[in-house]
Amino acid sequence: MTDRPVSRTALITGITGQDGSYLAELLLAKGYRVVGVVRRSSTTPYERIAHLVDRVELVSADLLDQTSLTDVVAETAPDEIYNLAAQSFVQTSWNQPVLTGEFTALGVTRMLEAMRKAAPTARFYQASSSEQFGKVVETPQRESTPFYPRSPYGVAKVYGHWITVNYRESFGLYAVSGILFNHESPRRGLEFVTRKISDGVARIHLGLQQELRLGNLDARRDWGFAGDYVDAMWRMLQQDTPDDYVIGTGETFSVRDFCEAAFNAVGRDYRDHVVQDPRFFRPAEVDLLVADPSKAREQLGWTPAVQFPELVAMMVQADLERYARAR
């Protein structure tokens, strides 16, 4: 790993999201100037970075607008660019497939074009996804595993991944993709199944609801802690040569396992409260995702610190505390 100077500027798209907020914390702790790209809107959804807003710079641009992105890159002169913004909810991608393609696929091209024109010596990180593997052709999944996406979101992420590779090879840019498996935290959006579970457990435990309706309980995922995974992103941009990496724990658990652990955290049996609801099944299911993170371990020196039971308990406790504060 190259010893690069600390006084660097990082530009983060998606800074108001789960990963963006943890990454901003990490980079600020390392002495970076952190600039976050936000979409101009009538509301300011800065809940996840409320504790950081006085330490980061926020600039307006949009992944749908090439000129705004190029201008922001030119004005901020970043050393590192982390492209985390996307339409990131798989279920929504079936309802909004074109918009998902615009943000999650073509948005990557626009960011790369902005970098190529305005900051060609910067280093670029693209947030790839285990959903690219979809209907897996081998288990576990590694960097060489062929992609077989099973949702508009997965398809868009495959495009984003390959356009990053293409710009690296075509223009000599330092551009990498991190193929991150599921990573969760108390900052995960309520629409995602893990947070839906932890929030539901808290509400049931506090008597605010009686049941939790979920889709496929047998889908298996490789779940880790988002705070660990942003460290892997940073490490990828510190290497001498750009490359792509699979990031995960190497362990797999079902949605049912997550429910069991979450309800156990409050001394309850998930079978008393969880109801399977066909409305929440995907049109094309991804049954099993599990990472082979050996390349990241060997080349980046990265290993996850938070284990599955600790992650689940952390999320449930955070939701219990959130409801307690609201009372």
Side-chain angles (χ1 to χ4, degrees), residues 104-181:
T104 308
L106 292 178
V108 185
T109 312
R110 296 187 188 103
M111 279 304 306
L112 286 164
E113 270 295 284
M115 171 180 161
R116 184 172 76 88
K117 292 177 177 177
T121 61
R123 299 188 171 197
F124 181 89
Y125 172 85
Q126 165 59 17
S128 284
S129 167
S130 59
E131 289 287 333
Q132 294 166 203
F133 295 121
K135 188 176 180 181
V136 298
V137 299
E138 66 175 357
T139 298
Q141 293 88 54
R142 51 185 64 86
E143 290 79 7
S144 59
T145 302
F147 298 136
Y148 194 146
R150 297 271 281 172
S151 66
Y153 169 79
V155 172
K157 279 293 187 182
V158 169
Y159 176 96
H161 179 93
W162 282 117
I163 201 68
T164 302
V165 173
N166 185 258
Y167 269 64
R168 179 171 73 215
E169 295 178 348
S170 300
F171 303 114
L173 300 181
Y174 192 111
V176 308
S177 281
I179 308 173
L180 271 56
F181 279 64

Side-chain angles (χ1 to χ4, degrees), residues 7-301:
S7 56
R8 284 175 271 165
T9 295
L11 183 69
I12 305 173
T13 72
I15 193 170
T16 60
Q18 170 188 254
D19 292 6
S21 66
Y22 281 111
L23 179 62
E25 286 178 351
L26 176 79
L27 296 177
L28 287 169
K30 292 181 180 295
Y32 279 71
R33 170 194 175 212
V34 175
V35 182
V37 176
V38 294
R39 299 180 71 196
R40 190 179 299 280
S41 69
S42 58
T43 59
T44 53
Y46 298 162
E47 177 186 357
R48 295 183 183 91
I49 59 167
H51 61 300
L52 302 175
V53 288
D54 59 341
R55 300 171 60 200
V56 301
E57 300 171 39
L58 299 178
V59 294
S60 294
D62 197 310
L63 283 182
L64 303 185
D65 181 58
Q66 182 67 64
T67 301
S68 68
L69 295 175
T70 305
D71 288 348
V72 159
V73 172
E75 291 162 8
T76 58
D79 299 285
E80 298 174 3
I81 299 170
Y82 295 86
N83 186 41
L84 310 185
Q87 190 301 101
S88 60
F89 187 43
V90 175
Q91 197 71 36
T92 297
S93 75
W94 276 287
N95 300 327
Q96 298 180 323
V98 175
L99 187 65
T100 297
E102 286 285 350
F103 275 114
T104 308
L106 292 178
V108 185
T109 312
R110 296 187 188 103
M111 279 304 306
L112 286 164
E113 270 295 284
M115 171 180 161
R116 184 172 76 88
K117 292 177 177 177
T121 61
R123 299 188 171 197
F124 181 89
Y125 172 85
Q126 165 59 17
S128 284
S129 167
S130 59
E131 289 287 333
Q132 294 166 203
F133 295 121
K135 188 176 180 181
V136 298
V137 299
E138 66 175 357
T139 298
Q141 293 88 54
R142 51 185 64 86
E143 290 79 7
S144 59
T145 302
F147 298 136
Y148 194 146
R150 297 271 281 172
S151 66
Y153 169 79
V155 172
K157 279 293 187 182
V158 169
Y159 176 96
H161 179 93
W162 282 117
I163 201 68
T164 302
V165 173
N166 185 258
Y167 269 64
R168 179 171 73 215
E169 295 178 348
S170 300
F171 303 114
L173 300 181
Y174 192 111
V176 308
S177 281
I179 308 173
L180 271 56
F181 279 64
N182 294 62
H183 46 290
E184 317 298 321
S185 76
R187 300 178 194 173
R188 182 53 117 175
L190 284 166
E191 69 272 23
F192 289 85
V193 67
T194 51
R195 185 70 194 290
K196 183 177 179 180
I197 293 169
S198 66
D199 179 72
V201 168
R203 290 180 60 82
I204 288 169
H205 189 63
L206 296 171
L208 300 174
Q209 69 185 56
Q210 297 302 313
E211 64 179 24
L212 177 60
R213 304 186 79 85
L214 300 170
N216 182 10
L217 299 182
D218 297 315
R220 302 184 69 84
R221 295 290 184 272
D222 183 329
W223 275 303
F225 173 52
D228 289 339
Y229 285 43
V230 298
D231 176 60
M233 299 176 189
W234 176 79
R235 287 171 182 258
M236 288 179 213
L237 295 194
Q238 313 314 309
Q239 305 306 302
D240 292 333
T241 55
D243 204 352
D244 306 321
Y245 297 87
V246 161
I247 303 297
T249 68
E251 295 185 308
T252 182
F253 297 91
S254 67
V255 176
R256 192 184 308 277
D257 293 331
F258 201 104
C259 288
E260 185 172 12
F263 277 96
N264 284 348
V266 294
R268 292 174 179 264
D269 188 331
Y270 81 96
R271 292 170 293 189
D272 295 335
H273 303 284
V274 173
V275 178
Q276 276 196 296
D277 189 330
R279 292 179 301 162
F280 298 118
F281 279 75
R282 294 183 180 183
E285 184 57 83
V286 174
D287 297 313
L288 171 64
L289 293 173
V290 58
D292 175 2
S294 55
K295 180 179 174 182
R297 184 173 58 247
E298 294 160 8
Q299 296 188 17
L300 303 179

